[in-house]
Amino acid sequence: MSNDNVTSISPLTAILVLAAAVGPLAALSIGSKVADEETLERARAGLENATPTDRFAHYDSLRSPSYASNKSITDITEGSGVFTKLQAAIEAAGAEAMFSEGGPYTVFAPSNEAFSRIPADQLQALLSDKERLNQVIAAHVVPGRLSPTELMQLESAPTLSGERVAISVPGMIKVGEATVSQSIAARNGVVHVIDRVLL
């Protein structure tokens, strides 16, 4: 018989031929193996093409800008007991208007716990130096709106201070040495709560 008359055999046809030749149970076993390999291949392809939309869902309900709160960034920092020290720093720097009217901004917002890591004398010196304080605040702000899932796809981001802040995902999102614990949508950006001040 010439090669021109040879046609390709589908996996199903091959299994049916095997059933006749070696018995139904053996053919079923071979068929299952073929199916398992195909399923694994599809799963691998799915993982490679997956979009990590749910990996950081525990941070918040922030999936797109359409979920943004009607509160400004200032409303969020003023209205939460978690940010009293940050709000004091913003006021000492005279930056309230930027966070209430400007943007959109992605703000890495140190919690009170983060500020408590700074020795009291160093913190007081920082709050007394308006120029230095403005630089520190600018180092916590990135232009634009970056959700948790967008952050996790970056290695760094440009801040208003003119420097880039490193971003990594070793399990939790890290910004420099700080860890993001929660994210809050605002009408003019996103507030990511962090556990260290970026100095």
Side-chain angles (χ1 to χ4, degrees):
M1 183 182 289
S2 71
N3 290 339
D4 294 340
N5 295 327
V6 175
T7 57
S8 62
I9 300 174
S10 71
L12 180 58
T13 304
I15 291 167
L16 291 174
V17 170
L18 282 170
V22 297
L25 291 177
L28 182 60
S29 174
I30 294 168
S32 297
K33 185 178 179 186
V34 171
D36 287 346
E37 288 172 357
E38 186 177 343
T39 301
L40 284 172
E41 201 54 46
R42 285 180 183 171
R44 284 190 203 101
L47 285 173
E48 287 171 7
N49 298 317
T51 302
T53 52
D54 295 321
R55 185 171 174 191
F56 293 100
H58 63 278
Y59 280 102
D60 61 355
S61 60
L62 179 67
R63 299 298 180 88
S64 75
S66 63
Y67 286 98
S69 161
N70 61 359
K71 294 182 178 180
S72 69
I73 293 167
T74 297
D75 292 333
I76 291 167
T77 57
E78 279 183 344
S80 171
V82 173
F83 300 120
T84 55
K85 292 180 180 179
L86 173 61
Q87 187 58 33
I90 291 171
E91 290 171 5
E96 302 101 313
M98 180 179 86
F99 292 119
S100 61
E101 301 163 15
Y105 296 122
T106 296
V107 179
F108 301 116
S111 63
N112 289 342
E113 177 190 357
F115 278 98
S116 70
R117 294 174 184 265
I118 304 173
D121 57 334
Q122 291 181 28
L123 181 57
Q124 189 54 49
L126 176 61
L127 293 173
S128 302
D129 186 343
K130 189 172 181 179
E131 184 177 345
R132 170 72 177 138
L133 187 56
N134 269 292
Q135 278 296 106
V136 170
I137 290 172
H140 290 75
V141 183
V142 172
R145 181 193 298 272
L146 295 173
S147 70
T149 51
E150 289 168 322
L151 283 178
M152 69 172 284
Q153 296 173 64
L154 301 176
E155 292 182 356
S156 67
T159 68
L160 294 184
S161 69
E163 304 292 329
R164 295 187 74 87
V165 63
I167 298 170
S168 59
V169 191
M172 300 282 281
I173 299 173
K174 291 189 76 71
V175 180
E177 295 299 314
T179 300
V180 176
S181 61
Q182 184 182 8
S183 300
I184 307 163
R187 70 165 182 261
N188 61 337
V190 183
V191 176
H192 297 288
V193 186
I194 56 176
D195 62 355
R196 291 178 185 271
V197 179
L198 306 176
L199 294 173

